[in-house]
DNA sequence: AATGAATGAGTCTTCATTCAT
DNA sequence: TATGAATGAAGACTCATTCAT
């Protein structure tokens, strides 16, 4: 009986259809893992929150690792569908970049617990985890990579753009930027951050040196 | 008043000066923590690697948390000294940025275990940890922030540069970029990555506005 | 995320209904605690005596302190029931005093281990302990206090009787008296001791003031 | 490094005469044991408070048990001297009883930590402890026993007085009475308690039934 | 399908005591 | 005589996982 925070447990129900019980446990696991983190969360916590008995969880998930993996892959699946749907409707590369940056920021803002879980646990190298979550992360970041590659093709981006590095700067930058927010400190202004990051991605921070093509708005000229 | 009787005790191992033993345990802990991560590592592992009995570790470090904290803060201290020494000798902002980017990449390349430890455990919010490591991370990232701010002052960078966001993109980008390497997959080409990242920081990925086609797409011309 | 893998687990022992196992552990704990005392007893001792694995004890009792507390409160509950039942059937105050004195002596004679445990551990001020055992001791001693108070009301006892002090002398006296027996030295003659103590309580040890030699010095004659 | 309360340590001094060091450690031990109790106190606590290094304590006391035993026997020796000195000057048995009762109450009031230590640890049956403290407790209680026996001889007390039982009631009663005070709750009024207890010892609480020799002052005649 | 009792291998941490220096 | 580093044997408590019912 750890001094853990236990939330109002759902009353146990009997004989649910398999799929429904599965979803219930998954949802409970998401809450518990997000709130406590992987290590601190216990299977007992999950079972209780799901209104199920401990051993029963193992009928649906063969181990704790698989359970987190499913929670995370679930999130990725949902996110992937959403991105798929939205991104195809955005014509310009620039707008697509803007959308993807903002989308990731929104994810961090709206599901900080889950994102912290992903960021922390994704880098584990656990085989069980990799097997399940594996490609999903790649497919997720692929949206940005593809957008950048298209930008190169269309000429909106320099031909020598180091696409993967730029992608890393975007995702890594967003996650770093949100670190304080994830830690419960401060807020996260999605739109401002997205605008600034997009600008940095496109023009960098260096002063444009040419005479003929003066830089930004604040040019005294 | 335990009824158990203590056993007669075996021959004592070699007796080291306090500082030496401290360093020995610290070094052992660094290895163990870097290899297994904080949670998976046990104090028994550390003690064994240090050639010491488990209980003896506690003469030098009052808890496992303090021990990691010391390992990490030790690294930061060394790094901070080094940065301090080097950075002050680099005149131009551009060169300083290049140096800081490369330095962080080198850290990841040369101490992947430690860096993974830091990246993972730094975001824990544990008070023991924060107390000790606390400001070190800030002081570390401050070097880049200061360089960027100076760039703004000297006019090498745009006056409206979002300094903190850019700093996050650099550190986050580097760490993301090194993720595969940290996971034991692939290599890390410090110089190339540093060059590319510096370029992105300064000019971004957007097409250079030529005379005929000045700045961005939304240019009214 | 421990890297250690759990072992395949051995054949499970017999499965008892919850209440039965609870009682079994409680009984084992009583024996162990009484024999060794609280500090010297270990949860492993208790588990072994109960024929259960150590960790399983914690399914029923959340801590060692709670376990002793339950053992002790269990005894009090039983004793309280018994006293309740018996005392109400005894009409005269004198008989009631005699009964309560003898009953406490019998408790010491018949459950010396448990009584030693109570006497030693009751005075600990541990919150877990107090929470559970708390009022039970007071309710136990209240029987004597109430009998004395009634004696005062009925005139069988002097109106200025210091009830609490007298109660302390009875309980403290009995416990002191039984100390040698509790230590395993000598025997305990309940009836004789009860008779003598009752006499002391009622008349004290002072010479009875006869007609010719009236009581104490402060006798006005 | 336990979260224990450590008091201002005396600075280590070198090369004290043996006897002086011995006393210093003993004094430190008394403080520590009284404050924390035997089990919770550590040899490290004692050493620190004595301004001595841990291992050095063992040059003067061969074990923790012996150390407490010495602390306790020290107290008894002092007390015994004091009683010896005082008691011989008190002529009447009655006064002597009054003095001994009050003296024990004062001990409890003035050295609650030590008394708690004695009361708790004296009943352990530890051979090391018994060997050292052994007879002291008996010699201490003997003062009261002798006074009672003399009372019997002189006729001030009934010839059939159960001396040992009465002695137990006095000491046990006092200790029970002081229990709340020892637990840090409430105060201890030595004089009142002594008066009341003396009266109980001499006359008991029973209403004197005779016509010819009416009882106390509050008798309506 | 569901239950939940039972397992067992850890985890961290504490401390009396010894002994090389 | 003094030091304090080192020992080692517990000890309380946790938790993923299994399996009889």
């Amino acid at each position: 009986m750890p001094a853990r925070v236990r939330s109002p447990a759902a009353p146990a129900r009997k004989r649910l259809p398999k799929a429904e019980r599965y979803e219930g446990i998954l949802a409970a696991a998401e809450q518990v893992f997000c709130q406590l983190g992987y290590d601190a969360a216990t299977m007992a916590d999950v079972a209780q929150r799901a209104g199920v008995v401990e051993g029963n969880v193992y009928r649906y998930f063969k181990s704790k690792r698989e359970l987190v993996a499913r929670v995370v892959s679930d999130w990725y699946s949902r996110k992937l569908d959403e991105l798929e749907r939205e991104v195809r409707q955005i014509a310009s590369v620039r707008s697509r970049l803007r959308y993807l940056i903002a989308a990731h920021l929104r994810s961090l803002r709206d599901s900080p617990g889950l994102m912290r879980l992903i960021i922390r646990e994704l880098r584990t190298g656990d085989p069980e985890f990799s097997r399940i979550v594996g490609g999903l992360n790649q497919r997720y970041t692929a949206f940005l990579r593809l957008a950048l590659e298209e930008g190169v093709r269309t000429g909106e981006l320099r031909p020598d753009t180091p696409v993967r590095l730029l992608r890393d700067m975007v995702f890594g930058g967003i996650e770093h930027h949100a670190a304080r927010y994830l830690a419960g400190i401060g807020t996260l202004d999605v739109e401002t951050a997205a605008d600034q990051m997009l600008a940095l991605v496109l023009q960098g921070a260096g002063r444009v040196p040419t005479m003929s093509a003066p830089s930004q708005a604040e040019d005294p000229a």
Side-chain angles (χ1 to χ4, degrees), chain A:
Chain A
M1 273 169 238
R4 227 178 285 279
V5 194
R6 309 229 177 239
S7 65
R13 280 164 245 137
K14 303 223 166 192
R15 286 274 166 180
L16 248 60
K18 181 143 184 157
E20 218 164 304
R21 196 33 52 97
Y22 182 94
E23 293 302 333
I25 294 174
L26 207 54
E30 179 175 326
Q31 290 178 48
V32 171
F33 283 133
C34 290
Q35 191 178 329
L36 303 175
Y38 178 78
D39 281 307
T42 72
M43 292 299 264
D45 290 334
V46 172
Q48 191 189 346
R49 172 98 52 147
V52 168
V53 126
E54 238 173 302
N56 203 14
V57 174
Y58 286 87
R59 191 164 284 283
Y60 297 89
F61 303 91
K62 78 175 218 279
S63 71
K64 191 186 180 187
R65 292 263 4 125
E66 195 203 290
L67 185 48
V68 228
R70 294 286 174 210
V71 166
V72 170
S73 73
D74 229 50
W75 180 85
Y76 267 122
S77 298
R78 269 179 279 137
K79 224 51 189 174
L80 251 20
D81 284 351
E82 180 189 320
L83 288 183
E84 182 78 45
R85 221 181 313 119
E86 301 290 336
V87 166
R88 82 172 67 196
Q89 301 183 30
I90 304 174
S92 89
V93 164
R94 182 194 166 86
S95 301
R96 216 176 304 165
L97 292 181
R98 176 62 166 73
Y99 175 79
L100 290 168
I101 290 170
H104 197 51
L105 279 162
R106 268 195 297 275
S107 293
L108 283 152
R109 186 193 57 194
D110 299 337
S111 315
L114 193 43
M115 294 306 290
R116 197 170 41 220
L117 188 68
I118 290 176
I119 291 171
R120 258 187 73 104
E121 306 306 333
L122 205 55
R123 283 86 171 158
T124 307
D126 177 276
E128 187 70 40
F129 200 92
S130 307
R131 188 172 61 74
I132 297 173
V133 180
L136 293 171
N137 184 47
Q138 282 180 41
R139 284 176 54 202
Y140 180 79
T141 59
F143 280 93
L144 181 58
R145 210 195 62 227
L146 291 171
L148 292 174
E149 284 169 354
E150 188 181 333
V152 171
R153 263 201 311 282
T154 63
E156 286 175 87
L157 299 183
R158 301 169 189 279
D160 62 344
T161 303
V163 170
R164 308 191 93 99
L165 183 60
L166 185 49
R167 179 202 59 186
D168 290 330
M169 287 181 74
V170 170
F171 283 118
I174 290 172
E175 286 160 20
H176 243 240
H177 183 67
R180 282 173 298 273
Y181 174 72
L182 287 185
I185 313 160
T187 56
L188 189 59
D189 181 342
V190 168
E191 301 307 325
T192 303
D195 285 337
Q196 293 179 333
M197 186 171 279
L198 180 62
L200 285 170
V201 165
L202 293 177
Q203 328 153 17
R207 180 59 120 184
V208 178
T210 55
M211 272 174 288
S212 50
S215 67
Q216 313 301 101
E218 66 278 13
D219 186 16

